[in-house]
Amino acid sequence: MILSRNQPASPCDFKGFFVYSFFRRECMEETKNIFRFLSPHEKTALLVGSQSKNYDRAKTVFREGETPTGIFSLQTGKVKIFKMGNDGQQQIVRLAKPGDLLGYRAILSGEDYNATAETLESSTICHYRKDSFLKTLNISAVLKPHFLEHLCADLRFAEDRLLDFVQKPARERVAATLVLLMEAYGKSLKNGQVLIDASLSRREIAELSGVVLETAVRLLADFKEKKWVGFEGKKIIVFDKFKLLEISDTSAHLVSWR
Amino acid sequence: MILSRNQPASPCDFKGFFVYSFFRRECMEETKNIFRFLSPHEKTALLVGSQSKNYDRAKTVFREGETPTGIFSLQTGKVKIFKMGNDGQQQIVRLAKPGDLLGYRAILSGEDYNATAETLESSTICHYRKDSFLKTLNISAVLKPHFLEHLCADLRFAEDRLLDFVQKPARERVAATLVLLMEAYGKSLKNGQVLIDASLSRREIAELSGVVLETAVRLLADFKEKKWVGFEGKKIIVFDKFKLLEISDTSAHLVSWR
DNA sequence: CGACTGGTTGAGTGGTCTCAAGTCCTGTGG
DNA sequence: CCACAGGACTTGAGACCACTCAACCAGTCG
């Protein structure tokens, strides 16, 4: 039901086994994630009921408070995971790129989603059914260690970010956001420049940085004026990534605002 | 080596098996944590090299950047886990109470500690050796699912807190800290009052809240003037927990206070 | 053409920080 | 017993960063 919220059901859904098998292939052979290391037997278990689906830009994959029906794998495209503050202000907590899994925390803890996932551009996402996934998790030797490690990494990331948000002023947080975007979606160009290959609105950059829209606009304009970044349509090119790294790591109040 | 940093080695260490067996009992039979559900065989594996140790107040259990030698279990006492910002400002990321495990994330991810653990009062802490723990993790059927769930809970906690810190003003963050302290260390008194049974300095409350010392002082004085809390020596009594919950606007899980 | 969305810039406000000057408390040594 | 040092805590004054509010511009879509 979650799947059908944003997209009409695939026109092929009713055609039975042949199409079903087609979905299975999409959800396994084109995937870059951990599941490609599963044994044939485990793959079979996992793929029961799996479905691949296309989403337009700005479509909701799952929503905070909903009960999960399975786990998602981002095959192509980009997705943001955000939480809604009680004043309506969104805070992006994570970015996903192809190969990333989505919604596994809710499945593993048996809770409802505590964040919302929305596509940043048109994306292909695979959905593995909850029972199939949990069954595979139990019989597989690689899956539990993988998720243990992955959760550890997520936790470290979240706690590092916590520190950043508490202690860093807006300027450093926006610089840190650009660094984060380089890591997630960056493509290296000539002479050390990096293209952030994602079309993010100013509001989304603000929501990543934990600042208000106008502040993000002003700081980006300032970065541009200083020739650290440039704008190419809706995309950002980083001219001086070392400067951004320096700013984002510098402690509060030592930065001069020339 | 970490263990011997704060406390001299136990005078009984050299006495061989008998004392060794004594440590084992302390590290298992008096523990409240997940390990009590292990089978005898698994317990045996886990307890190889385990040691119980007493720490005075304000002693470091492990330090950010160090390489872990094992996993810790807090038997009695209280411990804070904090990260150091690059301006020297500390940020407390978690509080531990008896039964909690410490340092498992570093072990599970194979990284160095990325936070420091320090006792808030004199505590008894058990240390299980890394190799013993990892071996037990592999042979046990309950341990991996337990840690998966636990990491999920930690991650949820960290992301919820991230949102709080970004979006909430100082007043709400300090109120949220008091709610957090009630959940961690609260003891119910008559007429719905709650004693926060921990001697925290104003600085520590500030570090929990992500505000500066003076701001924490001012806001606590304000809460006291409004008769929401009172001070009993270095401990805090919450007179009106509903008011604090309202102010902090937190989605606290309203746990029962012992 | 107007409505609308996304972006930009200006002005003013206020919350939180810094700095500084105290006060209270506790332990120590004379 | 007092004197005193040093730490924790408290309070005041001022600065400043980031927020809100508001106006405006540039596209785009109907």
Side-chain angles (χ1 to χ4, degrees):
Chain A
M1 63 184 78
I2 291 177
L3 277 170
S4 58
R5 181 183 304 275
N6 304 296
Q7 290 286 120
S10 160
C12 301
D13 269 1
F14 57 89
K15 287 190 182 169
F17 177 77
F18 179 77
V19 171
Y20 174 71
S21 140
F22 164 75
F23 279 138
R24 285 171 52 162
R25 186 156 59 247
E26 257 194 23
C27 284
M28 182 53 62
E29 289 174 13
E30 294 177 17
T31 198
K32 299 189 192 72
N33 61 39
I34 177 69
F35 296 143
R36 71 187 186 281
F37 295 121
L38 294 176
S39 72
H41 175 60
E42 292 158 358
K43 284 181 184 173
T44 306
L46 176 67
L47 289 170
V48 172
S50 67
Q51 283 200 342
S52 180
K53 208 161 259 291
N54 295 317
Y55 292 75
D56 290 336
R57 177 186 150 86
K59 296 300 176 194
T60 303
V61 183
F62 56 80
R63 203 181 299 268
E64 202 169 344
E66 284 178 349
T67 303
T69 63
I71 184 173
F72 297 88
S73 168
L74 181 57
Q75 310 289 83
T76 66
K78 297 177 179 64
V79 168
K80 62 175 173 178
I81 292 94
F82 62 89
K83 292 169 69 68
M84 190 72 81
N86 30 29
D87 54 349
Q89 175 98 332
Q90 294 177 4
Q91 173 62 44
I92 300 179
V93 295
R94 217 168 328 135
L95 294 170
K97 51 183 181 301
D100 287 345
L101 294 175
L102 303 171
Y104 55 89
R105 196 207 62 83
I107 289 286
L108 289 173
S109 66
E111 295 174 328
D112 290 343
Y113 293 118
N114 68 341
T116 302
E118 189 183 303
T119 52
L120 287 171
E121 59 185 50
S122 63
S123 304
T124 307
I125 302 176
C126 202
H127 177 264
Y128 306 95
R129 256 170 46 189
K130 176 176 178 173
D131 54 351
S132 305
F133 169 70
L134 288 178
K135 184 176 175 187
T136 313
L137 182 70
N138 270 328
I139 61 177
S140 163
V142 300
L143 237 40
K144 278 196 280 267
H146 169 81
F147 279 106
L148 277 176
E149 208 169 312
H150 207 289
L151 284 167
C152 284
D154 284 350
L155 186 54
R156 168 164 201 159
F157 177 74
E159 289 183 347
D160 285 352
R161 256 181 131 223
L162 186 74
L163 193 68
D164 287 354
F165 280 125
V166 175
Q167 301 198 344
K168 289 183 179 171
R171 163 182 214 72
E172 299 177 23
R173 298 217 295 263
V174 172
T177 293
L178 293 176
V179 173
L180 176 69
L181 285 169
M182 278 194 286
E183 287 173 5
Y185 303 136
K187 286 199 164 76
S188 281
L189 305 178
K190 344 282 171 212
N191 38 21
Q193 298 182 355
V194 180
L195 168 69
I196 294 173
D197 192 19
S199 296
L200 296 161
S201 68
R202 295 292 193 252
R203 175 164 298 282
E204 282 166 332
I205 291 174
E207 285 162 357
L208 271 165
S209 310
V211 300
V212 114
L213 165 68
E214 295 92 326
T215 301
V217 168
R218 277 183 246 264
L219 288 171
L220 284 176
D222 183 54
F223 291 174
K224 178 191 160 125
E225 193 191 345
K226 290 188 166 63
K227 305 253 191 288
W228 300 339
V229 302
F231 306 131
E232 188 87 16
K234 283 189 66 72
K235 295 185 179 174
I236 298 175
I237 296 176
V238 176
F239 295 144
D240 190 346
K241 63 185 171 201
F242 299 109
K243 197 72 193 173
L244 287 183
L245 278 167
E246 182 195 325
I247 297 296
S248 65
D249 280 343
T250 307
S251 66
H253 311 296
L254 293 184
V255 190
S256 58
W257 187 290
R258 263 150 303 214
Chain B
M1 60 189 74
I2 291 175
L3 279 170
S4 59
R5 181 184 305 276
N6 304 295
Q7 289 286 120
S10 160
C12 300
D13 269 4
F14 56 89
K15 287 190 181 169
F17 178 76
F18 181 77
V19 171
Y20 174 69
S21 140
F22 164 77
F23 279 138
R24 287 171 51 162
R25 189 157 55 246
E26 258 193 22
C27 284
M28 184 51 62
E29 290 175 11
E30 296 177 16
T31 198
K32 300 187 191 69
N33 60 39
I34 177 69
F35 296 143
R36 70 185 187 281
F37 295 121
L38 295 177
S39 72
H41 175 60
E42 291 158 0
K43 284 182 184 175
T44 306
L46 176 67
L47 289 170
V48 172
S50 68
Q51 282 199 343
S52 178
K53 208 162 258 294
N54 295 316
Y55 292 76
D56 289 336
R57 177 186 150 84
K59 296 300 176 194
T60 302
V61 182
F62 56 80
R63 203 180 299 268
E64 202 169 344
E66 283 178 350
T67 302
T69 64
I71 184 173
F72 297 89
S73 167
L74 181 56
Q75 309 290 84
T76 67
K78 297 174 179 65
V79 168
K80 63 175 174 179
I81 292 92
F82 62 90
K83 294 169 68 70
M84 190 72 81
N86 35 26
D87 55 350
Q89 175 99 330
Q90 294 177 3
Q91 174 63 41
I92 300 179
V93 294
R94 218 167 331 135
L95 294 170
K97 51 183 181 299
D100 287 345
L101 295 174
L102 302 172
Y104 54 90
R105 193 215 352 209
I107 290 288
L108 289 172
S109 64
E111 296 175 328
D112 290 343
Y113 293 118
N114 68 341
T116 303
E118 190 183 303
T119 52
L120 288 170
E121 58 185 50
S122 63
S123 304
T124 307
I125 301 175
C126 204
H127 176 265
Y128 306 94
R129 255 171 47 190
K130 176 175 178 173
D131 54 352
S132 306
F133 169 70
L134 288 178
K135 185 176 175 187
T136 313
L137 182 71
N138 270 329
I139 61 177
S140 164
V142 299
L143 237 40
K144 278 197 279 265
H146 168 81
F147 279 105
L148 278 176
E149 208 168 312
H150 207 289
L151 284 166
C152 285
D154 284 351
L155 185 55
R156 168 167 200 157
F157 177 74
E159 289 184 348
D160 285 352
R161 260 183 127 222
L162 186 75
L163 193 67
D164 287 354
F165 280 125
V166 175
Q167 301 199 344
K168 289 183 179 171
R171 155 179 293 275
E172 298 177 20
R173 298 218 294 263
V174 172
T177 294
L178 293 177
V179 172
L180 177 69
L181 286 170
M182 280 195 285
E183 287 179 1
Y185 303 137
K187 285 195 165 72
S188 281
L189 305 178
K190 343 282 169 211
N191 36 26
Q193 299 182 357
V194 180
L195 168 70
I196 293 174
D197 193 19
S199 296
L200 296 161
S201 69
R202 295 292 193 254
R203 176 164 297 283
E204 281 166 333
I205 291 174
E207 284 163 357
L208 271 164
S209 311
V211 300
V212 114
L213 166 67
E214 296 92 326
T215 301
V217 168
R218 278 183 247 263
L219 288 171
L220 284 176
D222 183 54
F223 291 175
K224 180 194 159 121
E225 194 192 345
K226 291 189 165 66
K227 304 254 189 289
W228 299 340
V229 302
F231 305 132
E232 188 87 15
K234 282 189 68 73
K235 296 185 177 175
I236 297 175
I237 296 177
V238 176
F239 296 144
D240 191 345
K241 63 187 174 203
F242 299 108
K243 196 70 194 176
L244 287 183
L245 279 167
E246 182 195 323
I247 296 294
S248 67
D249 210 3
T250 192
S251 47
H253 343 85
L254 257 300
V255 293
S256 56
W257 286 290
R258 274 139 289 162

